[in-house]
Amino acid sequence: MTTGPTDSMRAYRMTGWATPPRAVQLAVPTPGPGQVLVRVAGCGLCRSDLAMRQIPRAVGEQLGWAMPYTLGHEAAGWIAALGAGVTGLAEGDAVALTAAASCGTCWHCLRGLDNSCPRGLAGRGYGRDGGLADYVLVGERRSLLKLGQLEPRQAGPLTDAGATAYHAVRRALARVVPGGTAVVLGAGGLGAFAVQFLRVLTGARVVAVDTNPQRLQYAKSVGAHEGLLGVGESTVEELRGVTGGRGADAVLDFVGTDVTIAAGVASVRPGGAFALIGSAGGRLNKAWYGGLPRDGEVYTFQGATVADAQEVIALAAAGLIRNEVEEFPFDRIDDAYARLAAGTLSGRAVVVLDA
Ligand SMILES: [Zn+2]
Ligand SMILES: [Zn+2]
């Protein structure tokens, strides 16, 4: 490693509660025992970063978040330095970092449910230092996923946008049958991944629904059989139309408004599944009888497991999924977030740090 502990690095950082983040210079951290220093190649931007700017102190502290912290929970890069006692990694290895933190030893972690780990409420890029910086320090070996030949500059979104969409699809698989239909509501960053996982893992017809024609076009280019423009009451009728009146095997809602939730639940066939992934704040208020799909499953979750991230990386390494990104230099991060907020990105925004 050519960088010593006195060298400084760029970091894009939250510096106060409910305050906009900004670029600062920080000292490059030095890995202590068991820690790994990663030189970041690229870091994806997520809608949840925008939500973090609004979080008041009381909520942040309840989650165990410490201010200030560097944003960025979709990072990948190369091992720059290993602390004492770290095995199985070498300097220069290309790695992606899992988004969520987990303890690795609690009841949930030991069952592979590490996205439910009670110690995971503060993660890299939310409540502690993340990857929108030249270097990021990683304390847990299991958070580092080897990329092999995959390009680290663009791999970060696989571990969050990709893995979260994968988790949603994986849980619906038992309900999705060949000849059936799976619906993706919201074909943005996560939804476009979900379309691809459904195509790779099932024999179902995949229908994308979005209000933005460009995103529908993209969803079709990565495998959606059909795109429906607009989401509303007519969506239920349209989906009945494309499923022979039966309803969908699974509806994955990556938006999460009252409108998408109501349309989504009403479009599920008896015995099908509805998943709420989108965090737009909508509510499900349906009677058990007549309002919910008969013999159906309604589920929600936050984040993804380490295993989900590993499997998404394996699918990308095998060339079975595409990870469309739009690259931005570090000094255009504000721009990239503005484009994300306005919904005008083509693919996931990735900030390139090694340029
Ligand atoms: Zn995210
Ligand atoms: Zn745990």
Side-chain angles (χ1 to χ4, degrees), residues 101-110 113-114 116-120 142:
S102 57
C103 74
T105 56
C106 73
W107 190 95
H108 304 277
C109 284
L110 291 177
L113 308 169
D114 42 272
S116 300
C117 175
R119 276 174 264 179
R142 71 185 172 285

Side-chain angles (χ1 to χ4, degrees), residues 126-148:
Y126 46 104
R128 59 190 178 104
D129 286 345
L132 266 179
D134 290 306
Y135 292 88
V136 58
L137 197 58
V138 178
E140 329 81 42
R141 170 66 183 85
R142 71 185 172 285
S143 296
L144 293 163
L145 312 176
K146 284 193 194 180
L147 287 173

Side-chain angles (χ1 to χ4, degrees), residues 45-166:
L45 305 186
C46 180
R47 266 190 180 276
S48 62
D49 299 341
L50 298 171
M52 287 173 211
R53 303 169 179 210
Q54 317 295 334
I55 289 180
R57 173 191 294 266
V59 175
E61 287 181 350
Q62 201 175 18
L63 292 167
W65 292 16
M67 198 64 78
Y69 67 88
T70 300
L71 285 166
H73 57 268
E74 292 193 347
W78 301 273
I79 305 288
L82 299 171
V86 179
T87 57
L89 291 168
E91 281 184 28
D93 280 354
V95 289
L97 281 58
T98 60
S102 57
C103 74
T105 56
C106 73
W107 190 95
H108 304 277
C109 284
L110 291 177
R111 282 158 183 81
L113 308 169
D114 42 272
N115 62 325
S116 300
C117 175
R119 276 174 264 179
L121 295 175
R124 233 179 317 283
Y126 46 104
R128 59 190 178 104
D129 286 345
L132 266 179
D134 290 306
Y135 292 88
V136 58
L137 197 58
V138 178
E140 329 81 42
R141 170 66 183 85
R142 71 185 172 285
S143 296
L144 293 163
L145 312 176
K146 284 193 194 180
L147 287 173
Q149 297 307 308
L150 274 183
E151 165 57 58
R153 187 185 274 197
Q154 303 187 341
L158 297 172
T159 66
D160 178 44
T164 303
Y166 186 76

Side-chain angles (χ1 to χ4, degrees), residues 188-268:
L190 275 72
F193 273 118
V195 165
Q196 300 185 73
F197 299 139
L198 287 162
R199 286 305 310 273
V200 171
L201 300 173
T202 81
R205 188 168 179 75
V206 178
V207 180
V209 184
D210 204 292
T211 53
N212 178 331
Q214 275 97 48
R215 282 206 292 262
L216 281 184
Q217 205 49 50
Y218 178 59
K220 283 190 192 167
S221 77
V222 294
H225 295 95
E226 198 154 345
L228 299 182
L229 186 62
V231 187
E233 276 166 31
S234 62
T235 306
V236 181
E237 279 314 303
E238 289 174 277
L239 287 173
R240 297 237 164 248
V242 297
T243 58
R246 189 170 61 238
D249 293 357
V251 177
L252 311 180
D253 182 356
F254 290 94
V255 185
T257 61
D258 286 345
V259 170
T260 59
I261 293 170
V265 168
S267 301
V268 172

